[in-house]
Amino acid sequence: MPDWKAPEELQKEAVIFTKLMHSLLGLYAYEWFLSLDFDWEFLSGKKKFRWPMVFYFANRYLLLFAMIGIAIALDTTEEVDCQALYTFNQLAGDAAVGLASINLSIRTIAIWGQNRYIIGMLVVVILGHWSLILQGVQLKAVWIPGVGCAITETNNTILAAIFIYSMCFDLTVLLLNTYKLFGLNAHTKASELMGRSRLTQMIFADGLIFFIIAFLANLIATVFMLLNLNQLMSVIFNVPAAVFSTIVATRAVRRLTNFSVNGPEIYSTNNRVALTGTGVRPMQTLNYKSGTGVHVQMETFTHAEDSQNDIFEKPKGGREGSDTDVEIDVEANRRRKL
């Protein structure tokens, strides 16, 4: 096993660290450029801006600025305030990890029809996450003539706690989404799960993909922080974790916002049947009772010019739920006369 703290080993790892950071900057810049048209639709007013998009934009651009800051710290040949630069890079990168989890939890709030208990629980979990993120500066960096900015000390305990908390947070959100979307219980059959709507399957698949990628990235980063081999190896996988979490989280937001179907779709959770479609708005409640004794209560709907982004807004009046949902409660009691 090599001596991880030997000067030769540190120099070798510094070269690897620099190349990895430049590769991640190129990857994230490519991802940002490909989805720039989505951002422009909101900035130009083509799509209506709603409050959940604040977290989406903060997630994307805080990480972008952090990656640029890391590149400056690694490439500059003139003396700079390395401590201030790395303080910003660390806080912005950790904030991107927290915002990625928030973007997924907002979907969970919408799926649960803005249930006050779910909102309260997630708010408490989010506050706990950010109490760790905002603990303060967890590393020290200095300017070394002829070398540049160098990390000299890291607080691995707090950094590891942030990533472990993120993994538990993401698992909780995934389980909540799975339970609500599929109504899983001991009597659920596999054939019933296959019959869910495209919207349901997309939300579940995006959440599962996010969890797997974010979990693995955070796990690798946590392992190296706990090993504490040296200053560079302790933080070398923190940036990949933030980049991959942000990419999958923001892609999930864009896919849900751009989701469109020709008409409303149906998914069921427990005994409730819900119609969902892009820009569907509840208008009024109709009651109809046929001669066969079938009672149907439904809400009429119209298509609005907004996209699936409306899922994040609660309708005024009426029952609890997002305003892309049209709920039909069917109570049937058929009696046949001989």
Side-chain angles (χ1 to χ4, degrees):
M1 180 178 290
D3 182 3
W4 294 102
K5 299 184 184 297
E8 299 80 8
E9 191 66 26
L10 288 172
Q11 186 176 5
K12 184 192 304 182
E13 289 159 7
V15 174
I16 296 173
F17 182 84
T18 301
K19 292 181 178 179
L20 177 61
M21 294 304 107
H22 283 92
S23 300
L24 290 171
L25 174 59
L27 173 65
Y28 189 71
Y30 179 72
E31 167 73 14
W32 172 79
F33 181 77
L34 286 181
S35 53
L36 191 58
D37 58 334
F38 178 86
D39 297 0
W40 179 248
E41 288 181 341
F42 284 97
L43 297 176
S44 63
K46 292 181 180 179
K47 287 186 177 180
K48 188 174 181 180
F49 189 92
R50 299 191 185 280
W51 66 265
M53 299 307 295
V54 171
F55 300 104
Y56 167 83
F57 281 102
N59 194 178
R60 269 172 67 85
Y61 288 92
L62 272 178
L63 183 58
L64 179 63
F65 295 147
M67 296 301 298
I68 294 173
I70 292 173
I72 294 173
L74 294 173
D75 297 339
T76 184
T77 57
E78 297 182 2
E79 184 174 355
V80 295
D81 188 343
C82 297
Q83 183 61 49
L85 188 55
Y86 269 100
T87 297
F88 169 78
N89 294 340
Q90 180 228 313
L91 292 176
D94 290 345
V97 174
L99 289 166
S101 297
I102 289 178
N103 278 318
L104 198 66
S105 65
I106 290 176
R107 292 153 54 94
T108 304
I109 292 174
I111 291 169
W112 278 84
Q114 302 188 30
N115 183 291
R116 66 181 64 181
Y117 299 106
I118 297 297
I119 293 176
M121 182 189 72
L122 290 177
V123 167
V124 171
V125 174
I126 289 171
L127 290 177
H129 197 192
W130 281 84
S131 69
L132 291 174
I133 292 173
L134 299 177
Q135 280 288 318
V137 182
Q138 307 303 326
L139 54 82
K140 293 182 179 180
V142 296
W143 175 265
I144 300 177
V147 177
C149 288
I151 298 173
T152 59
E153 184 181 341
T154 58
N155 185 349
N156 295 328
T157 303
I158 297 297
L159 291 174
I162 292 173
F163 284 89
I164 293 173
Y165 198 109
S166 298
M167 290 188 286
C168 297
F169 186 6
D170 296 339
L171 176 61
T172 301
V173 169
L174 176 66
L175 293 177
L176 287 172
N177 288 352
T178 302
Y179 179 83
K180 187 62 176 179
L181 290 173
F182 292 102
L184 296 179
N185 54 60
H187 305 290
T188 303
K189 299 179 180 179
S191 59
E192 294 177 355
L193 297 181
M194 297 302 293
R196 307 297 180 178
S197 71
R198 286 197 303 121
L199 177 60
T200 301
Q201 293 172 355
M202 185 195 73
I203 294 175
F204 174 73
D206 286 352
L208 182 61
I209 292 171
F210 171 88
F211 172 74
I212 292 174
I213 294 177
F215 184 87
L216 291 177
N218 291 335
L219 179 62
I220 294 172
T222 302
V223 168
F224 276 86
M225 279 185 282
L226 295 178
L227 288 175
N228 194 23
L229 300 175
N230 56 48
Q231 297 91 332
L232 283 177
M233 293 301 293
S234 295
V235 298
I236 192 170
F237 289 106
N238 291 16
V239 177
V243 169
F244 292 134
S245 297
T246 298
I247 288 176
V248 293
T250 53
R251 281 196 173 194
V253 172
R254 290 194 299 272
R255 276 168 55 82
L256 182 60
T257 304
N258 292 329
F259 180 83
S260 62
V261 291
N262 294 329
E265 287 198 334
I266 300 177
Y267 73 87
S268 61
T269 55
N270 298 327
N271 296 323
R272 173 176 290 183
V273 179
L275 294 179
T276 64
T278 302
V280 177
R281 297 180 182 276
M283 296 296 293
Q284 58 182 332
T285 301
L286 301 178
N287 291 277
Y288 171 73
K289 188 172 183 179
S290 68
T292 60
V294 179
H295 178 260
V296 179
Q297 183 182 19
M298 65 177 294
E299 293 175 346
T300 61
F301 58 90
T302 63
H303 288 273
E305 60 183 6
D306 291 339
S307 64
Q308 188 66 25
N309 189 44
D310 285 345
I311 193 171
F312 298 133
E313 184 174 283
K314 182 177 179 180
K316 297 180 180 179
R319 62 172 64 92
E320 231 178 24
S322 75
D323 64 2
T324 55
D325 294 339
V326 181
E327 299 181 349
I328 300 177
D329 295 322
V330 180
E331 297 178 356
N333 183 16
R334 298 182 177 178
R335 299 179 181 178
R336 295 183 179 180
K337 296 182 179 180
L338 297 176

